[in-house]
Amino acid sequence: MEFQRVNDTDKLLSPLKTVKSVGKTSCGCTDSLNNTGTGAATPPYIVRHIATEVTSVPVVSTVLSSRDLWETFKSRVSSFRMNYTVKPGLYAAGSPDEKSDVFVTANYKMSFDALRSSLNGINAWILVLDTKGINVWCAAGKGTFGTDELVKRIMLSKITDIISHRKIIVPQLGAPGVNPNEVTKRSGFKVMYGPVRAADLKKYISNGYTCDEEMRRVRFDIIDRLILTPIELRQILVKFPLFALVILLIFGLTPEGIIFKESIMKGYLFLAAGLISVFTGAFFTPVFLPFIPFRSFALKGWIAGMVFFVSVIYLTGGLDSYNIFMIISALILFPVFSSYMALQFTGASTYTNLSGVKKEIKIAFPVYITGALISFIFLILYKVSDWGFL
């Protein structure tokens, strides 16, 4: 991707203010400029402040601590990620001056950490946008990592009074949300697109601020996909006990109101099939994504779910071992479960864009609802036949 070329605007901007290093104290700025919040405890990743005549800028550590790593792990496996944020605004790495580069990122802390750790040994400014705690890629698609927010944050941070150049480096994954010409028109800053991965920043700088083909390539390999699976599994497994309760009540219910052991055991088998479908959609499908036919995540998940379910039926005795109504109910429901779980990954991959995600969701959800209703009808028919009424 070529950089945008604009006219030099340095002569239109105010002169550089004196920069000096101060101790680790509160900067006393207003909330819009104070990255740690007035009166709030200083985050452990802030090691000191740089004071200018216009604002005080927190300096962040470029080495991730054990606490940072532990919080990253928690955000991967739990709802902790929903509040894993940093305060938007201007930060510094090392000892930057008026000529140092300005890098832009999201206020999702994992994105922030990826950038600051990649700047170890580099003197730079970090401009954090308010993306509502969403990573760069997803925020660009949702619009929170966008032109308006970038221009707003440039103005609020007073970066124009701190640096002498007018260049700002935006991650390539943020490009869908940023109009470089509009940013230049409104702020005077030239937008330069950095590499896809923050880890390539040093190479990008040494290459004269140009990206080779490898730095531009968006990868979604097996490790990237595997990392996403724990949180998806957790989100559905947290709700699974409610599903289990409903299923066991349905299977155990008799006309006399007595729950028979044999009926409950059939319910356990039904739940086991449900767990397999969750595993298939949230783990197997993402891991083996390139090898499953079709581009649609919903179709990929459905195919994987159907293959696993049919395999389970075959290995546990075949169709003759089960009531036909129960088989039809499960045959409809569990591949749909797998499809739904697989669909959760569509916005995090390189396989679909924002319009593709919306289109797939629009088509898939009516199918899911219809499938669930039909499956429930056949489950009721199974119970009626089990009571001897059919």
Side-chain angles (χ1 to χ4, degrees):
M1 186 179 295
E2 294 293 326
F3 295 155
Q4 299 296 322
R5 303 296 181 185
V6 297
N7 295 328
D8 184 12
T9 57
D10 287 354
K11 62 184 180 181
L12 301 178
L13 301 166
S14 58
L16 176 70
K17 305 298 182 182
T18 302
V19 177
K20 60 181 179 180
S21 179
V22 297
K24 188 178 179 181
T25 59
S26 175
C27 66
C29 303
T30 61
D31 284 345
S32 62
L33 299 176
N34 182 0
N35 295 300
T36 61
T38 303
T42 302
Y45 51 82
I46 294 177
V47 295
R48 66 181 193 278
H49 286 75
I50 291 177
T52 73
E53 294 182 13
V54 292
T55 188
S56 179
V57 182
V59 180
V60 298
S61 171
T62 54
V63 177
L64 300 185
S65 66
S66 57
R67 173 174 173 172
D68 293 322
L69 298 177
W70 170 241
E71 289 179 346
T72 295
F73 173 77
K74 287 199 298 181
S75 73
R76 292 294 192 190
V77 300
S78 72
S79 58
F80 178 77
R81 69 186 301 177
M82 303 307 294
N83 298 304
Y84 196 41
T85 63
V86 299
K87 190 174 180 64
L90 185 64
Y91 295 81
S95 300
D97 57 23
E98 69 274 11
K99 296 181 180 179
S100 298
D101 295 319
V102 182
F103 296 91
V104 182
T105 190
N107 78 319
Y108 179 46
K109 187 159 184 291
M110 200 179 297
S111 299
F112 177 73
D113 286 351
L115 175 58
R116 67 184 175 98
S117 62
S118 297
L119 294 176
N120 188 30
I122 298 176
N123 299 318
W125 304 100
I126 301 174
L127 188 62
V128 178
L129 306 190
D130 184 3
T131 60
K132 314 304 179 185
I134 302 173
N135 65 68
V136 172
W137 192 351
C138 294
K142 293 175 179 293
T144 52
F145 190 103
T147 302
D148 290 341
E149 172 59 20
L150 177 55
V151 172
K152 173 185 176 182
R153 205 54 55 184
I154 288 173
M155 300 306 178
L156 286 176
S157 68
K158 298 188 182 294
I159 189 68
T160 55
D161 294 325
I162 298 175
I163 61 174
S164 58
H165 63 83
R166 291 299 174 262
K167 296 178 295 184
I168 196 161
I169 301 172
V170 173
Q172 182 180 309
L173 295 181
V178 177
N179 183 330
N181 294 326
E182 187 66 19
V183 172
T184 301
K185 179 180 177 181
R186 293 166 57 181
S187 70
F189 275 80
K190 169 187 176 181
V191 174
M192 300 170 64
Y193 290 112
V196 167
R197 295 177 182 267
D200 289 328
L201 278 174
K202 289 184 178 179
K203 182 180 178 182
Y204 165 76
I205 294 171
S206 65
N207 283 353
Y209 300 92
T210 58
C211 290
D212 57 30
E213 183 177 347
E214 184 61 25
M215 282 189 270
R216 290 296 189 208
R217 181 177 294 118
V218 179
R219 298 186 295 272
F220 193 52
D221 56 30
I222 189 170
I223 299 300
D224 294 325
R225 299 193 298 273
L226 192 60
I227 286 173
L228 295 175
T229 59
I231 188 64
E232 300 299 336
L233 284 169
R234 179 194 176 279
Q235 288 176 348
I236 193 67
L237 291 178
V238 166
K239 303 173 184 177
F240 199 80
L242 178 60
F243 172 75
L245 177 62
V246 172
I247 291 300
L248 292 178
L249 285 175
I250 291 175
F251 273 83
L253 187 63
T254 69
E256 296 81 12
I258 301 173
I259 298 178
F260 287 108
K261 181 178 179 181
E262 294 78 6
S263 298
I264 288 293
M265 287 305 298
K266 291 179 181 178
Y268 285 144
L269 291 173
F270 203 82
L271 288 179
L275 286 173
I276 290 174
S277 71
V278 170
F279 167 83
T280 304
F283 183 84
F284 181 87
T285 302
V287 170
F288 295 96
L289 197 67
F291 308 103
I292 303 176
F294 300 105
R295 188 180 184 88
S296 166
F297 277 55
L299 277 176
K300 286 176 179 288
W302 184 85
I303 291 172
M306 183 63 74
V307 169
F308 266 80
F309 180 74
V310 171
S311 299
V312 169
I313 292 296
Y314 176 77
L315 294 173
T316 56
L319 294 176
D320 294 338
S321 301
Y322 302 96
N323 180 286
I324 186 61
F325 292 122
M326 185 175 74
I327 289 294
I328 294 175
S329 175
L331 193 63
I332 295 173
L333 182 63
F334 295 129
V336 164
F337 267 8
S338 295
S339 176
Y340 172 76
M341 293 302 301
L343 186 61
Q344 305 305 304
F345 286 84
T346 186
S349 78
T350 60
Y351 286 61
T352 50
N353 54 25
L354 181 60
S355 60
V357 172
K358 291 181 177 179
K359 181 179 179 180
E360 189 165 2
I361 290 175
K362 184 177 180 180
I363 295 173
F365 268 82
V367 175
Y368 294 157
I369 294 172
T370 302
L373 290 174
I374 295 175
S375 174
F376 183 73
I377 291 172
F378 275 98
L379 195 59
I380 296 302
L381 290 174
Y382 155 71
K383 286 304 299 179
V384 172
S385 67
D386 195 40
W387 293 341
F389 297 149
L390 282 179

